[in-house]
Amino acid sequence: YELIQPPSVSVSPGQTAGITCSGENLGNKYVCWYQQKPGLSPVLIIYQDNKRPSGIPERFSGSNSANTATLTISGTQAMDEADYYCQAWDSTILRVVFGGGTKLTVL
Amino acid sequence: EVQLVESGGGLVQPGRSLRLSCAASGFTFDDYAMHWVRLGPGKGLEWVSGISWNSGNIGYGDSVKGRFTISRDNAKSSLYLQMNSLRVEDTALYYCARDAGRIVGIRTDFDFWGQGILVTVSS
């Protein structure tokens, strides 16, 4: 099972960024998202498609339908520049699967 | 405060073995499944292995299956990864991560991560 993400996304400060994650029938699985900044460990920012852990800003939101999950960052800030990974559990092969990651550039 | 501290990494020759450890604190260890995830140089995150709270469910990524073995000692709040027949492509930063659930495959979102430990496989 494969999760496909765009390698890079660019956004201007204050604008809305969308990062997609595609997989066969992905809408039937729970998707979560991680943010990873250089030299730091990944941070869970969205779980179960659209839930935010405590402490994660409201500007981060998620959705998942059909074959695509989307991470949306509203009012993007310079501090949001990072790598973002989607992740799902494939129950048919009993594996955790990560997307290839998307580098978000805020410029 | 939840803490996950990895140890046991280092430089090792291809074909040799290494054992990673992850010491957990700040939470009830046997209430959670645990995982190993790695980040190779210039690569993305890759799931290595996961183990349920009671070691009843265990899974491995395709690239390590048959070579790596995950285990846990709930009495010591510790997670382990025995890595055998190491290959150059196993070179990576290895993270210990806590599952939000008790059983691998039920939640499988990782709510806490360690700082990572570097494993370098080279001759």
Side-chain angles (χ1 to χ4, degrees):
Chain A
Y1 191 78
E2 205 173 4
L3 295 178
I4 305 297
Q5 297 180 236
S8 62
V9 168
S10 297
V11 63
S12 299
Q15 298 303 303
T16 296
I19 298 174
T20 58
C21 173
S22 299
E24 186 176 352
N25 296 320
L26 186 57
N28 294 333
K29 309 177 192 301
Y30 273 139
V31 173
C32 59
W33 292 88
Y34 301 92
Q35 176 194 68
Q36 186 172 31
K37 297 181 179 179
L40 298 179
S41 301
V43 174
L44 179 68
I45 56 172
I46 294 289
Y47 68 98
Q48 291 182 344
D49 296 340
N50 54 22
K51 297 180 173 64
R52 274 190 321 275
S54 173
I56 301 302
E58 289 184 10
R59 64 179 182 275
F60 292 93
S61 63
S63 64
N64 184 20
S65 179
N67 297 314
T68 303
T70 303
L71 172 69
T72 301
I73 310 172
S74 304
T76 307
Q77 301 181 8
M79 68 171 65
D80 299 330
E81 194 163 275
D83 292 328
Y84 291 85
Y85 296 90
C86 61
Q87 180 229 301
W89 168 256
D90 187 349
S91 57
T92 57
I93 58 170
L94 305 180
R95 301 278 190 276
V96 171
V97 182
F98 282 97
T102 298
K103 182 175 182 60
L104 178 70
T105 301
V106 182
L107 42 67
Chain B
E1 178 193 6
V2 172
Q3 286 198 335
L4 299 170
V5 180
E6 301 94 339
S7 60
L11 174 63
V12 63
Q13 293 179 328
R16 304 298 290 264
S17 299
L18 207 58
R19 188 192 195 211
L20 302 184
S21 299
C22 171
S25 61
F27 65 100
T28 304
F29 186 68
D30 57 7
D31 273 350
Y32 296 89
M34 298 294 296
H35 300 262
W36 290 99
V37 179
R38 68 186 183 185
L39 181 67
K43 299 181 182 179
L45 296 175
E46 180 187 10
W47 180 68
V48 174
S49 183
I51 185 168
S52 293
W53 68 281
N54 62 352
S55 306
N57 296 82
I58 289 175
Y60 297 96
D62 288 342
S63 61
V64 307
K65 193 169 186 178
R67 300 187 298 123
F68 289 11
T69 302
I70 192 172
S71 62
R72 63 189 294 161
D73 185 336
N74 288 343
K76 295 182 178 179
S77 295
S78 293
L79 177 71
Y80 306 101
L81 186 68
Q82 178 67 42
M83 304 185 294
N84 298 332
S85 304
L86 282 161
R87 305 168 180 168
V88 171
E89 53 266 34
D90 294 319
T91 294
L93 188 61
Y94 284 74
Y95 295 101
C96 166
R98 190 183 85 168
D99 194 314
R102 301 189 84 187
I103 299 173
V104 173
I106 300 300
R107 280 291 299 270
T108 322
D109 42 279
F110 305 157
D111 57 359
F112 286 95
W113 297 64
Q115 82 287 352
I117 190 76
L118 185 61
V119 172
T120 303
V121 184
S122 174
S123 54

Short mmCIF file of all heavy atoms in Angstrom, two decimals, chain A residues 30 32 34 36 39-44 46-48 85 87-89 93-101, chain B residues 35 37 39 43-47 59-62 65 95 104-111 113-116:
data_model
loop_
_atom_site.label_atom_id
_atom_site.label_comp_id
_atom_site.label_asym_id
_atom_site.label_seq_id
_atom_site.Cartn_x
_atom_site.Cartn_y
_atom_site.Cartn_z
N TYR A 30 -8.22 5.64 8.84
CA TYR A 30 -7.89 6.83 9.60
C TYR A 30 -6.51 7.33 9.15
O TYR A 30 -5.57 6.56 9.01
CB TYR A 30 -7.85 6.55 11.09
CG TYR A 30 -9.18 6.68 11.79
CD1 TYR A 30 -9.58 5.78 12.77
CD2 TYR A 30 -10.05 7.72 11.49
CE1 TYR A 30 -10.78 5.90 13.43
CE2 TYR A 30 -11.28 7.85 12.13
CZ TYR A 30 -11.63 6.95 13.11
OH TYR A 30 -12.83 7.06 13.75
N CYS A 32 -3.40 10.22 9.91
CA CYS A 32 -2.85 11.23 10.80
C CYS A 32 -1.71 11.96 10.09
O CYS A 32 -1.23 11.51 9.03
CB CYS A 32 -2.38 10.64 12.13
SG CYS A 32 -1.12 9.38 12.01
N TYR A 34 1.98 14.38 10.64
CA TYR A 34 3.08 14.80 11.50
C TYR A 34 3.81 15.97 10.85
O TYR A 34 3.93 16.04 9.63
CB TYR A 34 4.09 13.65 11.70
CG TYR A 34 3.47 12.42 12.32
CD1 TYR A 34 2.95 11.41 11.51
CD2 TYR A 34 3.37 12.28 13.69
CE1 TYR A 34 2.37 10.29 12.06
CE2 TYR A 34 2.79 11.16 14.25
CZ TYR A 34 2.28 10.18 13.43
OH TYR A 34 1.69 9.06 13.98
N GLN A 36 7.57 17.78 10.96
CA GLN A 36 8.94 17.59 11.41
C GLN A 36 9.81 18.74 10.93
O GLN A 36 9.94 18.96 9.73
CB GLN A 36 9.53 16.27 10.95
CG GLN A 36 10.91 16.01 11.55
CD GLN A 36 11.46 14.63 11.28
OE1 GLN A 36 11.17 14.02 10.26
NE2 GLN A 36 12.27 14.12 12.20
N GLY A 39 16.24 18.78 12.51
CA GLY A 39 16.90 18.51 13.78
C GLY A 39 15.98 18.16 14.93
O GLY A 39 16.45 17.90 16.04
N LEU A 40 14.66 18.13 14.66
CA LEU A 40 13.71 17.82 15.73
C LEU A 40 12.94 16.56 15.40
O LEU A 40 12.89 16.12 14.24
CB LEU A 40 12.75 18.99 15.93
CG LEU A 40 13.36 20.31 16.36
CD1 LEU A 40 12.27 21.37 16.50
CD2 LEU A 40 14.15 20.15 17.66
N SER A 41 12.31 15.99 16.42
CA SER A 41 11.50 14.80 16.23
C SER A 41 10.15 15.17 15.64
O SER A 41 9.69 16.31 15.79
CB SER A 41 11.30 14.08 17.57
OG SER A 41 12.54 13.72 18.13
N PRO A 42 9.50 14.24 14.97
CA PRO A 42 8.16 14.52 14.44
C PRO A 42 7.17 14.86 15.56
O PRO A 42 7.31 14.39 16.69
CB PRO A 42 7.78 13.20 13.75
CG PRO A 42 9.08 12.54 13.44
CD PRO A 42 9.98 12.91 14.59
N VAL A 43 6.19 15.67 15.20
CA VAL A 43 5.12 16.05 16.12
C VAL A 43 3.79 15.70 15.49
O VAL A 43 3.54 16.06 14.32
CB VAL A 43 5.18 17.56 16.43
CG1 VAL A 43 3.97 17.98 17.29
CG2 VAL A 43 6.48 17.92 17.14
N LEU A 44 2.93 15.02 16.22
CA LEU A 44 1.59 14.69 15.74
C LEU A 44 0.75 15.95 15.72
O LEU A 44 0.59 16.62 16.75
CB LEU A 44 0.96 13.64 16.65
CG LEU A 44 -0.46 13.18 16.32
CD1 LEU A 44 -0.48 12.38 15.02
CD2 LEU A 44 -1.03 12.35 17.48
N ILE A 46 -2.36 16.11 13.52
CA ILE A 46 -3.73 15.70 13.21
C ILE A 46 -3.81 14.18 13.39
O ILE A 46 -2.92 13.46 12.92
CB ILE A 46 -4.13 16.06 11.77
CG1 ILE A 46 -4.19 17.57 11.57
CG2 ILE A 46 -5.49 15.41 11.41
CD1 ILE A 46 -5.34 18.28 12.26
N TYR A 47 -4.86 13.71 14.05
CA TYR A 47 -5.09 12.27 14.16
C TYR A 47 -6.55 11.97 13.83
O TYR A 47 -7.40 12.86 13.90
CB TYR A 47 -4.68 11.73 15.52
CG TYR A 47 -5.53 12.20 16.68
CD1 TYR A 47 -6.56 11.42 17.17
CD2 TYR A 47 -5.29 13.43 17.29
CE1 TYR A 47 -7.34 11.84 18.24
CE2 TYR A 47 -6.06 13.87 18.34
CZ TYR A 47 -7.08 13.07 18.83
OH TYR A 47 -7.85 13.49 19.88
N GLN A 48 -6.80 10.72 13.47
CA GLN A 48 -8.16 10.29 13.08
C GLN A 48 -8.79 11.29 12.11
O GLN A 48 -9.90 11.78 12.34
CB GLN A 48 -9.01 10.08 14.34
CG GLN A 48 -8.56 8.88 15.14
CD GLN A 48 -9.41 8.60 16.37
OE1 GLN A 48 -10.19 9.44 16.83
NE2 GLN A 48 -9.25 7.41 16.93
N TYR A 85 4.24 14.76 7.02
CA TYR A 85 4.04 13.37 6.61
C TYR A 85 2.62 12.92 6.97
O TYR A 85 2.16 13.17 8.09
CB TYR A 85 5.01 12.44 7.34
CG TYR A 85 6.47 12.66 7.02
CD1 TYR A 85 7.24 13.54 7.75
CD2 TYR A 85 7.07 11.95 5.98
CE1 TYR A 85 8.59 13.73 7.45
CE2 TYR A 85 8.41 12.12 5.68
CZ TYR A 85 9.16 13.03 6.42
OH TYR A 85 10.49 13.20 6.12
N GLN A 87 0.11 9.51 7.42
CA GLN A 87 0.33 8.14 7.87
C GLN A 87 -1.01 7.45 8.05
O GLN A 87 -1.99 8.06 8.47
CB GLN A 87 1.09 8.13 9.20
CG GLN A 87 1.38 6.75 9.77
CD GLN A 87 1.00 6.65 11.22
OE1 GLN A 87 1.51 7.39 12.07
NE2 GLN A 87 0.10 5.75 11.55
N ALA A 88 -1.05 6.17 7.71
CA ALA A 88 -2.27 5.38 7.87
C ALA A 88 -1.88 3.96 8.24
O ALA A 88 -0.72 3.56 8.09
CB ALA A 88 -3.11 5.42 6.60
N TRP A 89 -2.87 3.21 8.68
CA TRP A 89 -2.68 1.79 8.99
C TRP A 89 -3.35 0.98 7.91
O TRP A 89 -4.52 1.18 7.59
CB TRP A 89 -3.30 1.47 10.34
CG TRP A 89 -3.42 0.01 10.64
CD1 TRP A 89 -4.56 -0.76 10.60
CD2 TRP A 89 -2.37 -0.88 11.03
NE1 TRP A 89 -4.27 -2.06 10.95
CE2 TRP A 89 -2.93 -2.16 11.21
CE3 TRP A 89 -0.99 -0.71 11.25
CZ2 TRP A 89 -2.18 -3.26 11.61
CZ3 TRP A 89 -0.24 -1.80 11.65
CH2 TRP A 89 -0.82 -3.06 11.83
N ILE A 93 -2.47 -5.63 5.08
CA ILE A 93 -1.10 -6.15 5.18
C ILE A 93 -0.52 -5.93 6.57
O ILE A 93 0.64 -6.25 6.82
CB ILE A 93 -0.18 -5.54 4.12
CG1 ILE A 93 -0.12 -4.01 4.25
CG2 ILE A 93 -0.61 -5.94 2.72
CD1 ILE A 93 0.94 -3.35 3.39
N LEU A 94 -1.34 -5.36 7.48
CA LEU A 94 -0.93 -5.15 8.86
C LEU A 94 0.37 -4.34 8.95
O LEU A 94 1.36 -4.76 9.54
CB LEU A 94 -0.78 -6.49 9.59
CG LEU A 94 -2.01 -7.40 9.57
CD1 LEU A 94 -1.75 -8.68 10.32
CD2 LEU A 94 -3.25 -6.68 10.13
N ARG A 95 0.33 -3.20 8.30
CA ARG A 95 1.51 -2.34 8.29
C ARG A 95 1.10 -0.89 8.53
O ARG A 95 0.04 -0.44 8.07
CB ARG A 95 2.22 -2.38 6.94
CG ARG A 95 2.69 -3.73 6.49
CD ARG A 95 4.02 -4.11 7.09
NE ARG A 95 4.55 -5.31 6.46
CZ ARG A 95 4.21 -6.54 6.80
NH1 ARG A 95 3.34 -6.75 7.78
NH2 ARG A 95 4.74 -7.58 6.18
N VAL A 96 1.99 -0.15 9.22
CA VAL A 96 1.87 1.30 9.26
C VAL A 96 2.53 1.82 7.98
O VAL A 96 3.61 1.38 7.61
CB VAL A 96 2.59 1.88 10.49
CG1 VAL A 96 2.66 3.40 10.41
CG2 VAL A 96 1.91 1.41 11.77
N VAL A 97 1.86 2.74 7.32
CA VAL A 97 2.39 3.29 6.07
C VAL A 97 2.52 4.80 6.21
O VAL A 97 1.57 5.47 6.64
CB VAL A 97 1.48 2.96 4.88
CG1 VAL A 97 2.07 3.51 3.59
CG2 VAL A 97 1.27 1.45 4.78
N PHE A 98 3.67 5.33 5.84
CA PHE A 98 3.89 6.77 5.79
C PHE A 98 3.90 7.23 4.34
O PHE A 98 4.37 6.50 3.44
CB PHE A 98 5.26 7.14 6.40
CG PHE A 98 5.29 7.14 7.90
CD1 PHE A 98 5.77 6.04 8.60
CD2 PHE A 98 4.85 8.23 8.61
CE1 PHE A 98 5.81 6.03 9.97
CE2 PHE A 98 4.89 8.24 10.00
CZ PHE A 98 5.37 7.13 10.68
N GLY A 99 3.41 8.44 4.12
CA GLY A 99 3.62 9.08 2.84
C GLY A 99 5.08 9.50 2.71
O GLY A 99 5.82 9.49 3.71
N GLY A 100 5.48 9.87 1.52
CA GLY A 100 6.87 10.21 1.28
C GLY A 100 7.31 11.53 1.88
O GLY A 100 8.51 11.82 1.95
N GLY A 101 6.34 12.34 2.34
CA GLY A 101 6.68 13.61 2.96
C GLY A 101 6.58 14.77 1.99
O GLY A 101 6.85 14.62 0.78
N HIS B 35 6.36 1.72 19.09
CA HIS B 35 6.87 1.54 17.73
C HIS B 35 8.30 2.04 17.59
O HIS B 35 8.75 2.88 18.38
CB HIS B 35 6.00 2.31 16.73
CG HIS B 35 4.57 1.89 16.70
ND1 HIS B 35 4.06 1.01 15.76
CD2 HIS B 35 3.54 2.23 17.50
CE1 HIS B 35 2.77 0.83 15.99
NE2 HIS B 35 2.43 1.55 17.04
N VAL B 37 10.43 3.88 14.45
CA VAL B 37 10.33 4.55 13.16
C VAL B 37 11.71 5.10 12.82
O VAL B 37 12.41 5.56 13.72
CB VAL B 37 9.30 5.71 13.20
CG1 VAL B 37 9.24 6.42 11.84
CG2 VAL B 37 7.92 5.19 13.60
N LEU B 39 14.39 7.45 10.09
CA LEU B 39 14.52 8.51 9.09
C LEU B 39 15.90 8.37 8.48
O LEU B 39 16.91 8.71 9.12
CB LEU B 39 14.34 9.88 9.75
CG LEU B 39 14.43 11.09 8.82
CD1 LEU B 39 13.24 11.11 7.86
CD2 LEU B 39 14.47 12.38 9.64
N LYS B 43 15.87 10.73 3.11
CA LYS B 43 14.63 9.97 2.92
C LYS B 43 13.53 10.47 3.84
O LYS B 43 13.76 11.35 4.66
CB LYS B 43 14.90 8.48 3.19
CG LYS B 43 15.94 7.85 2.27
CD LYS B 43 16.11 6.38 2.60
CE LYS B 43 17.17 5.74 1.72
NZ LYS B 43 17.35 4.28 2.07
N GLY B 44 12.35 9.84 3.71
CA GLY B 44 11.24 10.16 4.58
C GLY B 44 11.14 9.19 5.74
O GLY B 44 11.93 8.26 5.88
N LEU B 45 10.13 9.40 6.58
CA LEU B 45 9.90 8.51 7.70
C LEU B 45 9.51 7.12 7.20
O LEU B 45 8.77 6.98 6.24
CB LEU B 45 8.79 9.05 8.60
CG LEU B 45 9.05 10.38 9.30
CD1 LEU B 45 7.79 10.84 10.04
CD2 LEU B 45 10.22 10.26 10.26
N GLU B 46 10.03 6.11 7.89
CA GLU B 46 9.72 4.73 7.55
C GLU B 46 9.39 3.96 8.82
O GLU B 46 10.18 3.95 9.77
CB GLU B 46 10.88 4.06 6.83
CG GLU B 46 10.62 2.61 6.45
CD GLU B 46 11.84 1.89 5.89
OE1 GLU B 46 12.95 2.45 5.95
OE2 GLU B 46 11.68 0.76 5.38
N TRP B 47 8.24 3.33 8.86
CA TRP B 47 7.88 2.50 9.99
C TRP B 47 8.74 1.25 9.99
O TRP B 47 8.84 0.56 9.00
CB TRP B 47 6.40 2.14 9.91
CG TRP B 47 5.90 1.27 11.03
CD1 TRP B 47 5.76 1.62 12.34
CD2 TRP B 47 5.44 -0.07 10.93
NE1 TRP B 47 5.23 0.58 13.06
CE2 TRP B 47 5.02 -0.48 12.21
CE3 TRP B 47 5.32 -0.99 9.87
CZ2 TRP B 47 4.51 -1.75 12.48
CZ3 TRP B 47 4.79 -2.25 10.13
CH2 TRP B 47 4.41 -2.61 11.42
N GLY B 59 4.32 -6.26 14.52
CA GLY B 59 4.41 -6.10 13.07
C GLY B 59 5.74 -5.50 12.67
O GLY B 59 6.41 -4.83 13.48
N TYR B 60 6.13 -5.75 11.41
CA TYR B 60 7.40 -5.27 10.89
C TYR B 60 7.21 -4.70 9.49
O TYR B 60 6.37 -5.17 8.72
CB TYR B 60 8.44 -6.40 10.81
CG TYR B 60 8.80 -6.99 12.14
CD1 TYR B 60 8.17 -8.14 12.61
CD2 TYR B 60 9.77 -6.40 12.94
CE1 TYR B 60 8.50 -8.68 13.84
CE2 TYR B 60 10.12 -6.94 14.18
CZ TYR B 60 9.47 -8.08 14.62
OH TYR B 60 9.80 -8.62 15.84
N GLY B 61 8.03 -3.70 9.18
CA GLY B 61 8.08 -3.22 7.82
C GLY B 61 8.74 -4.26 6.92
O GLY B 61 9.57 -5.06 7.39
N ASP B 62 8.43 -4.21 5.65
CA ASP B 62 8.94 -5.22 4.71
C ASP B 62 10.47 -5.23 4.66
O ASP B 62 11.08 -6.29 4.52
CB ASP B 62 8.39 -4.96 3.31
CG ASP B 62 6.92 -5.29 3.21
OD1 ASP B 62 6.41 -6.03 4.08
OD2 ASP B 62 6.27 -4.81 2.26
N LYS B 65 11.78 -7.12 7.98
CA LYS B 65 11.18 -8.37 8.45
C LYS B 65 12.17 -9.52 8.26
O LYS B 65 12.80 -9.66 7.22
CB LYS B 65 9.89 -8.65 7.69
CG LYS B 65 9.04 -9.74 8.31
CD LYS B 65 7.65 -9.78 7.68
CE LYS B 65 6.77 -10.78 8.43
NZ LYS B 65 5.39 -10.83 7.90
N TYR B 95 13.81 6.35 15.79
CA TYR B 95 12.95 6.94 16.82
C TYR B 95 12.12 5.86 17.51
O TYR B 95 11.57 4.96 16.85
CB TYR B 95 11.98 7.94 16.21
CG TYR B 95 12.59 9.17 15.60
CD1 TYR B 95 12.74 9.28 14.23
CD2 TYR B 95 12.98 10.25 16.40
CE1 TYR B 95 13.27 10.42 13.65
CE2 TYR B 95 13.51 11.40 15.83
CZ TYR B 95 13.65 11.48 14.46
OH TYR B 95 14.18 12.62 13.89
N VAL B 104 -1.52 -2.47 18.38
CA VAL B 104 -1.08 -2.03 17.05
C VAL B 104 -2.22 -2.22 16.06
O VAL B 104 -2.83 -3.29 15.99
CB VAL B 104 0.15 -2.83 16.60
CG1 VAL B 104 0.51 -2.48 15.16
CG2 VAL B 104 1.32 -2.56 17.53
N GLY B 105 -2.54 -1.16 15.33
CA GLY B 105 -3.58 -1.24 14.31
C GLY B 105 -4.92 -0.70 14.74
O GLY B 105 -5.81 -0.52 13.91
N ILE B 106 -5.08 -0.38 16.03
CA ILE B 106 -6.35 0.16 16.48
C ILE B 106 -6.34 1.69 16.39
O ILE B 106 -7.23 2.30 15.79
CB ILE B 106 -6.67 -0.29 17.92
CG1 ILE B 106 -6.76 -1.82 17.97
CG2 ILE B 106 -7.97 0.36 18.39
CD1 ILE B 106 -7.83 -2.40 17.07
N ARG B 107 -5.34 2.31 16.98
CA ARG B 107 -5.18 3.76 16.83
C ARG B 107 -4.06 4.06 15.84
O ARG B 107 -4.28 4.61 14.78
CB ARG B 107 -4.87 4.41 18.19
CG ARG B 107 -6.06 4.62 19.07
CD ARG B 107 -6.98 5.71 18.51
NE ARG B 107 -6.32 7.00 18.41
CZ ARG B 107 -6.31 7.91 19.38
NH1 ARG B 107 -6.95 7.69 20.52
NH2 ARG B 107 -5.68 9.08 19.20
N THR B 108 -2.84 3.68 16.22
CA THR B 108 -1.65 3.80 15.39
C THR B 108 -1.40 5.24 14.94
O THR B 108 -1.01 5.49 13.80
CB THR B 108 -1.70 2.82 14.19
OG1 THR B 108 -2.28 1.61 14.60
CG2 THR B 108 -0.29 2.52 13.72
N ASP B 109 -1.70 6.19 15.78
CA ASP B 109 -1.12 7.52 15.64
C ASP B 109 -0.14 7.66 16.79
O ASP B 109 -0.43 7.24 17.91
CB ASP B 109 -2.19 8.64 15.63
CG ASP B 109 -3.29 8.46 16.65
OD1 ASP B 109 -4.22 7.68 16.37
OD2 ASP B 109 -3.21 9.09 17.72
N PHE B 110 1.00 8.27 16.51
CA PHE B 110 2.11 8.29 17.45
C PHE B 110 2.17 9.64 18.15
O PHE B 110 2.57 10.64 17.55
CB PHE B 110 3.43 8.00 16.72
CG PHE B 110 3.40 6.72 15.92
CD1 PHE B 110 4.27 6.54 14.86
CD2 PHE B 110 2.54 5.68 16.23
CE1 PHE B 110 4.26 5.37 14.11
CE2 PHE B 110 2.52 4.51 15.50
CZ PHE B 110 3.38 4.35 14.43
N ASP B 111 1.75 9.64 19.42
CA ASP B 111 1.57 10.93 20.09
C ASP B 111 2.81 11.44 20.82
O ASP B 111 2.84 12.63 21.17
CB ASP B 111 0.35 10.89 21.02
CG ASP B 111 0.41 9.79 22.06
OD1 ASP B 111 1.40 9.02 22.08
OD2 ASP B 111 -0.55 9.70 22.85
N TRP B 113 7.29 11.07 20.76
CA TRP B 113 8.47 10.54 20.09
C TRP B 113 9.71 10.83 20.94
O TRP B 113 9.79 11.85 21.62
CB TRP B 113 8.66 11.21 18.72
CG TRP B 113 7.56 10.97 17.74
CD1 TRP B 113 6.25 11.37 17.83
CD2 TRP B 113 7.68 10.30 16.47
NE1 TRP B 113 5.56 10.98 16.72
CE2 TRP B 113 6.42 10.33 15.86
CE3 TRP B 113 8.75 9.69 15.79
CZ2 TRP B 113 6.17 9.76 14.61
CZ3 TRP B 113 8.52 9.14 14.54
CH2 TRP B 113 7.24 9.17 13.97
N GLY B 114 10.68 9.92 20.85
CA GLY B 114 11.97 10.20 21.45
C GLY B 114 12.77 11.14 20.57
O GLY B 114 12.30 11.57 19.52
N GLN B 115 13.98 11.44 20.99
CA GLN B 115 14.82 12.37 20.25
C GLN B 115 15.57 11.67 19.11
O GLN B 115 16.12 12.33 18.24
CB GLN B 115 15.83 13.06 21.19
CG GLN B 115 17.08 12.27 21.51
CD GLN B 115 16.85 11.10 22.46
OE1 GLN B 115 15.76 10.96 23.02
NE2 GLN B 115 17.86 10.28 22.65
N GLY B 116 15.55 10.36 19.13
CA GLY B 116 16.18 9.59 18.06
C GLY B 116 17.60 9.19 18.40
O GLY B 116 18.30 9.87 19.17
#
